[in-house]
Amino acid sequence: MKTLLRPSTLALAVALTAAAAAAQPPPGKARLELAADRTAYEPGSTARIAARIVIEPGWHVNSHRPTYDWLIASELALDLPEGWPPAEISYPEGVLRRFAFEREQPLSVYEGTTRVTAEVRVPEAWPEGPAAVVATLTYQACDDRSCLPPTEATASLELTVGPGGVATGATEPSAPRGAGGRALAVLVLLGIAGGLILNAMPCVLPVLSLKLFGLVQSGTRGRREVVLGSLATAAGILVSFWALAAAAVIARAAGATVGWGVQFQEPVFVVLLTVIVLLFSLNLWGLFEVPLPARLAGLAGSGREGLPGHFTSGLFATLMATPCSAPFLGTAVGFALAQPGPAVFGMFTAVGFGMALPYLMIAVSPGLLRWIPKPGAWMESLKIVMGFLLAGAALWLLYVLAGQVSRERLAFVELALLVLTLCVWAGARANRRRGRLLAATGLLVAAAAALALAAGGRGETAASAAPETRLIDWVVFDRAEAERLAREEARPVFVDVTADWCFTCKVNERLVLETPEIARLFEDHGVVPMRADWTNRDDGIAAFLADHGRYGIPFYLLYRPGREPHLFSELLTKGAVREAVEEATGLMTARAE
């Protein structure tokens, strides 16, 4: 019988750990850093101070407003010069997480890096010169199973009172947590643009080409077929995005990691999509008389996809889109996932609308299909070519799986897929109903075996791969070390968050990062390159992304000594990397002089 720790028991555990604080001081699991928004302040002006709380990976602290009133809240206190008015302190919202010691109710906590801001008014008659500020953070650190006694972290900051102050940007938020009407409209437009561009990404382009191919065939049966088919495909895309939004809201409420493409961290999902892509490929090679989406929808014998088939194709297009990122997409989705549920649904609707826009345009104006050559023998050749492209997508998915399961398990999954292919071939050649039934049974058994093998592979050591020859000597990402190098040794640190399932990441690596120009740039400027691999679930990396307002990858960041980190676009360019590195190192040189 599963034992749950009730709130009364949890309260007792918290009380006991608090009493233990008198016996021995607990180890600090959070570090406090202060930064001001200007280099100097005129008397009578307001100083904004950012208190950056850096929490060790694997640990968390209660938020300022914890789930239960009797939990120890994180509190920041500022010790200001005598005569200064009290500071106005603003705390961020906590994130909801479930832990082994409280499984029934998610707890509101801070993890990773959290920013608390304070506004302090400088008295009108205060003389010019330095003014010391000391901050004390009271908190209680816990991991997944236990809590340490409450403790404190302190940091100090010296404000300068006088003329000539300039903005430092130190208190600017790394990502918007809310937006006004105009900003929200811009973000919605970015979501639509990002969804539209997804159609041109390598993950989705074969599916778009196949749909256009199908709509051209529908055109021979009249305008109504084209309009209905386009609308059904668009509906499939929108419904799938609503499903993704619902899953994100539910997962976030349960304290789970949310993000764009995180389902590819699950081996079962990767194998399921591999099976679907493989069947689509075999269909295009002529082993299915009826297009697969229609068969999945239960239609057969008409030679047409039908509305359910078009709808299913829209769902499939969205599934294929999730490992890809596009310009503007990260900004829009990152903003949405930090907002309440209605905003998540609204932004995902905008992205889905953008992705469905080509099909909606064809529905409004079917004449656009005139730009595509009329049906003929070339279409049969195109089907074969597209089948090979989808087979290539299946190989890529197996490459992703190789980073998640052992070598032996991967071989058995591939064997199950080979049996599945054999069953499809045998079913296509069978003349009797019994033979087709046996082939269908074998197909289902092979698919179930592949999924079961994937389900049993969670947590295994991934299949080892031959070492790659790289131009850049990447270091395994260590957040605390990266921040220490930038803070104490004044060294810039470039962080690349990637995954085997992230196609855009691999393109950026090949075309931008792993090039002689960038390798030489990093070497000349003393940049420490760190890489975080998010192929499999890693809550520390997820928290790092969330702290910077991102919930998907690729993600690139440059730690700059003395300044806030610089965030890059999802589609990286050599010019952007060079400009950011040279600016950071140039600023360091100027300060040293």
Side-chain angles (χ1 to χ4, degrees):
M1 183 176 67
K2 183 169 66 176
T3 301
L4 297 177
L5 191 63
R6 299 294 181 183
S8 58
T9 312
L10 178 58
L12 178 60
V14 172
L16 290 175
T17 55
Q24 59 179 12
K29 298 298 180 182
R31 186 176 73 250
L32 186 63
E33 301 172 354
L34 299 182
D37 67 330
R38 298 183 67 82
T39 58
Y41 300 91
E42 297 275 1
S45 63
T46 299
R48 294 188 76 246
I49 299 174
R52 193 162 174 257
I53 306 169
V54 182
I55 304 163
E56 286 190 14
W59 293 84
H60 64 270
V61 302
N62 293 320
S63 70
H64 180 63
R65 293 182 178 177
T67 303
Y68 299 116
D69 293 338
W70 38 263
L71 286 173
I72 299 174
S74 296
E75 296 279 355
L76 183 72
L78 291 185
D79 184 9
L80 301 171
E82 187 176 354
W84 286 40
E88 296 182 5
I89 301 177
S90 300
Y91 295 88
E93 293 292 328
V95 295
L96 294 178
R97 295 283 186 263
R98 291 185 187 273
F99 302 101
F101 55 77
E102 175 53 81
R103 296 185 183 277
E104 286 190 333
Q105 176 69 36
L107 301 182
S108 177
V109 301
Y110 297 143
E111 56 188 10
T113 299
T114 299
R115 188 198 306 267
V116 178
T117 58
E119 292 190 356
V120 181
R121 183 170 179 79
V122 181
E124 293 281 356
W126 197 261
E128 294 184 4
V133 176
V134 178
T136 302
L137 174 71
T138 303
Y139 69 94
Q140 182 177 29
C142 305
D143 61 10
D144 186 54
R145 297 189 176 276
S146 61
C147 293
L148 298 176
T151 187
E152 295 181 344
T154 60
S156 60
L157 176 69
E158 191 173 84
L159 302 179
T160 301
V161 179
V166 295
T168 64
T171 60
E172 294 177 2
S174 55
R177 297 289 174 183
R182 180 175 298 180
L184 184 60
V186 171
L187 287 166
V188 169
L189 290 176
L190 290 178
I192 295 173
L196 179 61
I197 296 173
L198 270 179
N199 288 292
M201 303 304 289
C203 316
V204 186
L205 192 56
V207 181
L208 176 64
S209 303
L210 288 173
K211 282 312 304 174
L212 292 177
F213 168 79
L215 291 173
V216 168
Q217 286 186 318
S218 299
T220 61
R221 296 188 290 271
R223 175 189 177 97
R224 183 174 180 274
E225 290 279 348
V226 174
V227 172
L228 292 178
S230 300
L231 290 176
T233 303
I237 292 173
L238 286 170
V239 168
S240 60
F241 270 94
W242 292 334
L244 287 174
V249 171
I250 293 171
R252 187 176 63 184
T257 300
V258 295
W260 181 258
V262 294
Q263 67 271 24
F264 280 85
Q265 295 174 347
E266 287 293 329
V268 173
F269 178 83
V270 174
V271 171
L272 176 62
L273 191 56
T274 304
V275 170
I276 294 173
V277 169
L278 180 60
L279 290 175
F280 264 86
S281 180
L282 295 174
N283 167 244
L284 291 173
W285 288 338
L287 295 183
F288 287 98
E289 292 183 2
V290 181
L292 185 63
R295 188 162 287 187
L296 289 175
L299 300 180
S302 66
R304 303 183 185 182
E305 280 190 274
L307 295 184
H310 288 295
F311 181 84
T312 305
S313 297
L315 299 177
F316 179 61
T318 303
L319 280 180
M320 293 298 293
T322 49
C324 272
S325 186
F328 317 126
L329 187 64
T331 301
V333 173
F335 165 79
L337 292 177
Q339 304 303 310
V344 176
F345 276 91
M347 189 58 68
F348 272 66
T349 300
V351 177
F353 176 81
M355 188 172 174
L357 198 54
Y359 306 105
L360 294 174
M361 292 174 62
I362 292 173
V364 172
S365 180
L368 292 173
L369 290 176
R370 294 192 201 123
W371 294 95
I372 300 176
K374 294 182 179 180
W378 68 273
M379 298 187 79
E380 292 301 316
S381 299
L382 180 64
K383 282 179 62 176
I384 300 298
V385 172
M386 290 300 169
F388 277 106
L389 288 178
L390 288 179
L395 291 176
W396 168 71
L397 288 167
L398 291 175
Y399 161 76
V400 173
L401 187 66
Q404 299 173 326
V405 301
S406 66
R407 185 194 301 269
E408 295 78 13
R409 191 174 296 273
L410 175 64
F412 279 111
V413 169
E414 292 170 340
L415 180 61
L417 294 176
L418 183 62
V419 172
L420 182 149
T421 305
L422 178 63
C423 291
V424 171
W425 175 81
R429 293 176 61 88
N431 295 322
R432 296 184 179 181
R433 184 174 180 273
R434 182 179 179 183
R436 290 192 293 270
L437 182 60
L438 287 174
T441 302
L443 185 153
L444 293 175
V445 170
L451 293 172
L453 285 165
R458 292 190 183 96
E460 284 185 340
T461 302
S464 58
E468 296 184 56
T469 302
R470 296 189 179 277
L471 297 175
I472 298 176
D473 187 15
W474 294 96
V475 179
V476 177
F477 175 63
D478 184 323
R479 183 172 185 173
E481 177 64 10
E483 293 172 348
R484 187 195 68 80
L485 288 170
R487 182 181 64 255
E488 298 179 8
E489 298 186 17
R491 296 187 65 183
V493 180
F494 183 90
V495 179
D496 169 23
V497 184
T498 184
D500 288 345
W501 45 262
C502 175
F503 191 88
T504 311
C505 302
K506 299 304 177 184
V507 172
N508 287 340
E509 288 171 18
R510 295 299 180 191
L511 299 184
V512 179
L513 294 177
E514 289 294 336
T515 60
E517 300 94 321
I518 299 302
R520 188 165 50 251
L521 175 74
F522 285 0
E523 184 178 354
D524 292 346
H525 293 272
V527 177
V528 178
M530 286 191 174
R531 175 162 286 167
D533 189 350
W534 210 31
T535 300
N536 299 309
R537 177 176 174 176
D538 188 312
D539 292 338
I541 295 176
F544 173 71
L545 293 171
D547 289 341
H548 293 93
R550 299 290 179 89
Y551 294 86
I553 55 176
F555 176 71
Y556 307 101
L557 175 145
L558 180 67
Y559 281 107
R560 302 178 294 179
R563 299 182 65 188
E564 285 290 289
H566 176 82
L567 275 61
F568 296 88
S569 168
E570 294 92 340
L571 292 185
L572 203 60
T573 65
K574 296 177 183 177
V577 176
R578 178 177 297 279
E579 181 181 351
V581 169
E582 290 180 346
E583 180 189 14
T585 53
L587 182 63
M588 289 160 50
T589 303
R591 287 180 175 176
E593 294 174 351

